[in-house]
Amino acid sequence: MNRSFKIICFISGLAVIFLDQLSKYIIQAKIPAQGIFLVNGNSLNIALAPVSNASLAFGLKVAPFFTNILFILVLGLLILWAISLYKKNERKNLLLLTLIAGAAISNFIDRIRMGGVYDFISISFDNFYWPTFNFADTIITISVLYLLIKTIKNNSANSGIKKTL
């Protein structure tokens, strides 16, 4: 793997941190506390509802001291798992790991600066409400899902089981 690709990965991780922190800054500056801005008020509502989320993930409540400890532990295990998937010839894995790390660092910046992660995107559909999230959460979720699906497909192919995802 050449040095220029590693630099691109590093810059991509920094870009995630910058874009996530910028999006949070803009929302905090433009929308009053607990204000809601409806993007589509019909069946799909996307509301920007600023929330400082001191929970671990998806609203899981634990004591504030343990929240940061558990967050770091889960993040560390996730990164170790992801690194175990990394193969030298798979550049996409390195890029995804860098994006995950950038997003996790951005959320950790929130935890240190504000005592919780600043979430502001809330999606609902009829009576279904998804937990409030932010840009970094989206990057982490998409990257981890991609790596998970890729791992399942590779394991299925290596074990002789033919499955389509």
Side-chain angles (χ1 to χ4, degrees), residues 61-142:
K61 302 288 185 200
V62 293
F65 171 76
F66 292 109
T67 300
N68 289 333
I69 301 297
L70 287 173
F71 177 78
I72 293 168
L73 179 64
V74 169
L75 177 63
L77 291 173
L78 176 65
I79 290 173
L80 287 175
W81 170 74
I83 289 172
S84 72
L85 299 176
Y86 175 72
K87 295 178 184 173
K88 288 184 180 178
N89 61 348
E90 294 194 40
R91 296 165 58 138
K92 195 180 295 182
N93 285 357
L94 180 60
L95 180 60
L96 290 170
L97 293 174
T98 307
L99 295 176
I100 291 169
I105 289 168
S106 184
N107 278 342
F108 192 66
I109 289 169
D110 287 356
R111 289 184 185 281
I112 291 173
R113 193 169 57 96
M114 297 181 291
V117 177
Y118 189 77
D119 293 331
F120 59 90
I121 304 170
S122 176
I123 297 178
S124 64
F125 182 75
D126 290 334
N127 289 328
F128 173 77
Y129 298 94
W130 189 259
T132 307
F133 60 98
N134 59 43
F135 176 73
D137 297 337
T138 304
I139 295 294
I140 291 171
T141 302
I142 291 170

Side-chain angles (χ1 to χ4, degrees), residues 85 87 90 150-163:
L85 299 176
K87 295 178 184 173
E90 294 194 40
K150 186 176 176 183
T151 301
I152 291 169
K153 286 176 87 170
N154 287 344
N155 286 344
S156 295
N158 292 338
S159 67
I161 300 170
K162 295 190 177 196
K163 293 182 181 178

